[in-house]
Amino acid sequence: MTSSTTAGKPIQCKAMVARAAKQPLTLETITVDPPGAGEVRVKVIANALCHTDVYTLDGCDPEGLFPCILGHEAGCIVESVGEGVTSVAPGDHVIPCYTPQCCEAQCIFCQSPKTNLCPKIRSTQGKGVMPDGSVRFKDHDGNPIYHFMGCSTMSEYTVLAEISCAKIDKGAPLDKVCLFGCGVSTGLGAVWNTCKVEVNSTVAVFGLGAVGLAVIQGAKMAGASKIIAVDINPGKFPAAIKMGATDVVNASQLDKPVQSHIAGELTPWGVDYSFDCTGNTQVMRAALECAHRGWGTSCVIGVAASGHEICTRPFQLVTGRVWKGTAFGGFKSRRDVPLLVERFMTGKLPIEDYITHEFQGVETTNDAIDALHSGDCLRAVVKY
């Protein structure tokens, strides 16, 4: 199908539909309606599996709605655009971004250098609908299917808000640069934007999935002198070392809390920066408490299950530690994702090693989810 024959018309395509929590996705033929005003319909070329998808599928997301189409880390080609869309056109290559960037002069978030959290479509995105309050997906019986994170890329076609589309170099391989749609960008940005790690800093990274490895990669590129990689699966240590870790710690084999091991044995006073990439609130506490007395900063990246809370003794903060968090690594999506792709294209930001599993066809998405659960998968990319 070409945009000239499909523009303005519904498209029927294959999609993997999440009908209920804790159930396998079902392969269905769905209808994808044309884009409305300010919207873009895209053909999904490749989609990478992220733990956030599994988090929702497992029923841990308080905003999780069913039935829905999951997926948010993809590379796409614009098929058609709705009324008023000016920043992309049919044929353009884009990466959908769950953190939009409206760029409007009156948006204090987009205009501030302090944040990337544009709230323009946050309320509707969280409800699984497009900005006008309706959906663009229907199942075989004509029933609506919810959107997910403003992306829904486990479908051969999807509809996005224009402000969620990062236009990228057409020469970039979409089955690689799709990783910049979430995990890799999040880890790199936590280092470069949120914490601004300096040359010769010491760093500890908890959790060695794709996000944790991206933190390590970013820290090495920033010039960190010591990078401590922490996990309970030693099988992840070789990849961490390859990315730049100088030390590895199996927290399950210690006879003391891991924070006491890092701040006391591996370092005299703790690390300058620590990063939680696990979503485990106890690990978040350990990451904070291994931060350097007087100036250490700990960054929460992992998303905890609904209802969980973080805690520590106030003394940890009184004695100079800073606890902060990040979403999408602080990157302003439409401005910064194209720049990340450019760095990849010039060889300055390699990301191929994150892709450990590849699958062909949207119908193999359940296999990709199984791979993600296996423990030896960083990113599984499904090519459509």
Side-chain angles (χ1 to χ4, degrees):
M1 290 186 288
T2 64
S3 60
S4 60
T5 60
T6 56
K9 303 174 185 177
I11 289 177
Q12 286 197 327
C13 68
K14 293 186 291 185
M16 297 299 287
V17 180
R19 285 283 168 186
K22 304 183 187 299
Q23 298 296 319
L25 305 176
T26 59
L27 176 63
E28 302 183 24
T29 297
I30 67 163
T31 298
V32 183
D33 286 338
E39 297 174 4
V40 179
R41 187 163 62 183
V42 299
K43 178 177 175 59
V44 182
I45 303 302
N47 180 67
L49 271 291
C50 174
H51 282 284
T52 306
D53 300 313
V54 177
Y55 171 83
T56 298
L57 187 60
D58 285 346
C60 300
D61 182 357
E63 289 190 349
L65 298 167
F66 300 95
C68 73
I69 296 173
L70 300 170
H72 64 286
E73 194 169 295
C76 310
I77 300 176
V78 175
E79 174 270 337
S80 61
V81 300
E83 179 184 350
V85 171
T86 59
S87 63
V88 296
D92 284 342
H93 290 200
V94 299
I95 292 179
C97 297
Y98 66 90
T99 301
Q101 184 185 4
C102 75
C103 302
E104 294 177 1
Q106 64 268 33
C107 178
I108 60 173
F109 293 85
C110 282
Q111 296 306 317
S112 171
K114 297 179 180 179
T115 187
N116 62 337
L117 298 179
C118 173
K120 178 74 173 180
I121 58 174
R122 178 68 186 90
S123 61
T124 50
Q125 183 169 308
K127 295 175 182 175
V129 296
M130 296 301 292
D132 69 354
S134 62
V135 300
R136 301 291 169 267
F137 302 127
K138 297 185 182 71
D139 67 12
H140 177 73
D141 297 319
N143 298 313
I145 302 173
Y146 288 114
H147 295 252
F148 175 72
M149 294 179 69
C151 297
S152 291
T153 51
M154 290 184 186
S155 172
E156 293 176 324
Y157 286 85
T158 189
V159 179
L160 314 166
E162 178 185 13
I163 64 173
S164 300
C165 295
K167 180 180 173 180
I168 63 167
D169 181 354
K170 287 186 178 181
L174 292 172
D175 60 342
K176 302 290 191 298
V177 298
C178 61
L179 300 192
F180 288 124
C182 184
V184 171
S185 297
T186 298
L188 295 172
V191 175
W192 298 342
N193 303 324
T194 307
C195 291
K196 297 179 173 59
V197 171
E198 309 96 344
V199 173
N200 290 326
S201 298
T202 55
V203 171
V205 183
F206 292 76
L208 303 179
V211 175
L213 293 183
V215 171
I216 293 173
Q217 182 182 21
K220 181 180 180 181
M221 293 176 69
S225 59
K226 189 179 190 69
I227 304 173
I228 303 167
V230 185
D231 207 290
I232 57 174
N233 179 358
K236 296 183 177 182
F237 293 157
I241 293 170
K242 184 176 181 180
M243 284 292 183
T246 58
D247 301 80
V248 294
V249 175
N250 184 341
S252 67
Q253 298 299 308
L254 299 175
D255 58 2
K256 62 176 64 176
V258 64
Q259 54 265 52
S260 300
H261 178 67
I262 293 173
E265 295 186 17
L266 295 184
T267 67
W269 292 101
V271 293
D272 299 315
Y273 300 96
S274 65
F275 299 85
D276 165 70
C277 309
T278 69
N280 182 307
T281 55
Q282 291 301 310
V283 177
M284 294 175 191
R285 178 174 185 164
L288 174 77
E289 294 179 0
C290 78
H292 202 292
R293 177 184 174 92
W295 63 72
T297 294
S298 187
C299 183
V300 175
I301 306 175
V303 178
S306 176
H308 288 213
E309 298 180 349
I310 55 175
C311 67
T312 191
R313 293 184 302 128
F315 187 73
Q316 294 289 337
L317 304 181
V318 169
T319 49
R321 296 169 189 84
V322 174
W323 219 347
K324 57 170 53 179
T326 191
F328 198 52
F331 284 118
K332 289 183 183 287
S333 55
R334 296 164 74 197
R335 181 194 71 187
D336 293 334
V337 168
L339 300 178
L340 292 172
V341 171
E342 182 180 312
R343 294 181 74 174
F344 165 77
M345 293 294 285
T346 57
K348 298 176 182 177
L349 184 55
I351 58 173
E352 295 90 344
D353 286 347
Y354 292 98
I355 302 172
T356 54
H357 296 69
E358 294 180 286
F359 298 87
Q360 187 65 49
V362 67
E363 63 273 10
T364 65
T365 301
N366 279 326
D367 297 328
I369 291 174
D370 291 340
L372 199 63
H373 279 304
S374 69
D376 63 353
C377 175
L378 293 176
R379 275 296 184 266
V381 174
V382 183
K383 303 175 187 178
Y384 298 172

